[in-house]
Amino acid sequence: MSLYLDNAATTPVRPEVLEAMAPYLTRVYGNPSSHHEVGEAAASALDDARARVAAVLGMRAGDVMFTSGGTESNNAAIKGIVLGGPRRHLVTTAIEHESVLASADYLERLHRATVTYAPVDATGTLTPDALADSLRDDTALVSIGYANNEIGTIQDAAALAAVAHARGVPLHLDAVQAAGWLPLSGTGADAVTVAGHKVGAPKGTGILAVRGRLAFEPLLHGGGQERGRRSGTPDVAGAVAIATALTLAEAERAEAAARVGALSAAFIARVLARVPGARLTGHPERRLPGTASFVFPGTNGETVLLELERRGVVSSSGSACAAGSDEASHVLLTVGVDHDEARTAVRFTLPRTLTASLDPVADAVVDAVTAVGSRG
């Protein structure tokens, strides 16, 4: 079986999560909005899941809503907060996930909003000064990825929140890749996105937490569930699943980040030392412990991936949402990688359970890049 190093795309469902959610797919099947004992049992589980998520995020239980995943949560946060008030200016960056960029485009096209893409440096870092220069009197929201999904660069969320708050602007933090690696409380964020399948819950589960004081226009209208912010019968099993996965990931976070970070650093050093011309993308230090993204000039990234899979290593060229596209990564182009070189990118994203040396993987990278390069 191949070694799976594409954990930024998705992770396996944890056994503890399957066990926790199973009762709510079988015997505890009530609608949590129903006012009888069957519904109240489901409602109790939903309330408990909400409280556990809130504890990890450092927010109130009433701030937490359950969604279908990161894409819905990002859409709801950006559209909901901007459309919930009178201001129509959004600040984000050009290296964000497609769900953020497409939401910004939607607001521009259909709601006469304006969007400023604050500049990032060659490591993908947004500085507080760059953010401050992008804010205006009519700014409704700043939406930033806590850690980039392709290159792993970590933003200083607390510093960015302080800059935004000084101008009376809320900060939305896309923490889809950060969950389980970085602390989610104490960031100063006013809204936070989490996707369940990145932390060991099933696909189709997600979280959007929005502080209650913020005006919010829901995407979904109907019965007024989730305090009127997301109508529809809640997925109780999914809520239990993501709450369980997030709680477990948070409990293990510090140890896992230190362990995997050390193994990743050794892997990066070995690849850079043995592959001529290889370059690490993203910030060299302020990066997710489990992310190592390279460009290999003179190759083709997709061909390198095929060679790696032949050698028992499964990885990716970047975001799974853009897989199969012939376009170069918008993230790499934004941070100054030229178009041809961007098409040589290969991203390795490691599991939190990793304990073994990645020297054999580094050796496979050397062999794969050499094989592709030898073909001209």
Side-chain angles (χ1 to χ4, degrees), residues 80-81 84 87 140-141 168-171 189-191 209-217 229:
I81 295 172
R87 296 182 289 182
L141 179 68
V169 178
L171 173 71
D190 303 281
V210 180
R211 297 197 187 276
R213 59 182 170 75
L214 289 179
F216 184 88
E217 177 63 34
R229 291 179 167 183

Side-chain angles (χ1 to χ4, degrees), residues 10-11 43 65 82 100 106 144 159 169 171 192 199 204 233 262 323 367:
T10 198
T11 61
M65 70 181 93
V82 172
V100 171
Y106 164 85
I144 299 297
V169 178
L171 173 71
V192 180
V199 290
T233 303
D367 292 344

Side-chain angles (χ1 to χ4, degrees), residues 111-362:
H111 293 278
R112 298 183 180 179
T114 55
V115 180
T116 296
Y117 295 92
V120 297
D121 66 18
T123 69
T125 300
L126 173 63
T127 67
D129 286 345
L131 176 58
D133 290 343
S134 300
L135 298 174
R136 306 188 328 202
D137 290 342
D138 63 339
T139 303
L141 179 68
V142 173
S143 180
I144 299 297
Y146 195 177
N148 186 266
N149 63 312
E150 292 192 30
I151 59 177
T153 296
I154 298 168
Q155 306 294 350
D156 188 342
L160 297 175
V163 169
H165 292 166
R167 294 288 298 273
V169 178
L171 173 71
H172 165 238
L173 205 58
D174 175 359
V176 165
Q177 294 298 336
W181 293 116
L182 304 176
L184 299 183
S185 64
T187 63
D190 303 281
V192 180
T193 290
V194 178
H197 72 112
K198 311 293 188 177
V199 290
K203 300 168 186 66
T205 62
I207 294 161
L208 174 59
V210 180
R211 297 197 187 276
R213 59 182 170 75
L214 289 179
F216 184 88
E217 177 63 34
L219 297 184
L220 301 178
H221 302 87
Q225 291 90 343
E226 300 290 297
R227 299 180 66 202
R229 291 179 167 183
R230 186 182 189 265
S231 291
T233 303
D235 176 4
V236 178
V240 170
I242 193 170
T244 302
L246 186 63
T247 302
L248 290 169
E250 175 62 17
E252 299 162 356
R253 175 177 56 78
E255 187 278 331
R259 171 174 36 78
V260 176
L263 293 168
S264 177
F267 169 66
I268 290 169
R270 190 174 180 91
V271 170
L272 294 178
R274 299 190 59 201
V275 180
R279 291 198 300 113
L280 183 72
T281 60
H283 199 286
E285 288 90 30
R286 286 187 58 84
R287 62 188 304 109
L288 286 174
T291 298
S293 178
F294 303 92
V295 289
F296 298 114
T299 69
N300 175 278
E302 295 297 330
T303 308
V304 172
L305 290 174
L306 292 173
E307 289 291 336
L308 283 169
E309 193 162 359
R310 287 180 55 199
R311 291 163 173 80
V313 177
V314 173
S315 55
S316 71
S317 57
S319 172
C321 296
S325 171
D326 290 332
E327 298 297 319
S329 160
H330 70 280
V331 174
L332 295 179
L333 295 178
T334 299
V335 300
V337 178
D338 71 46
H339 187 275
D340 289 343
E341 196 167 288
R343 291 170 63 86
T344 74
V346 176
R347 178 190 67 173
F348 302 89
T349 48
L350 316 178
R352 295 175 184 83
T353 55
L354 183 70
T355 57
S357 167
L358 291 172
D359 284 356
V361 177

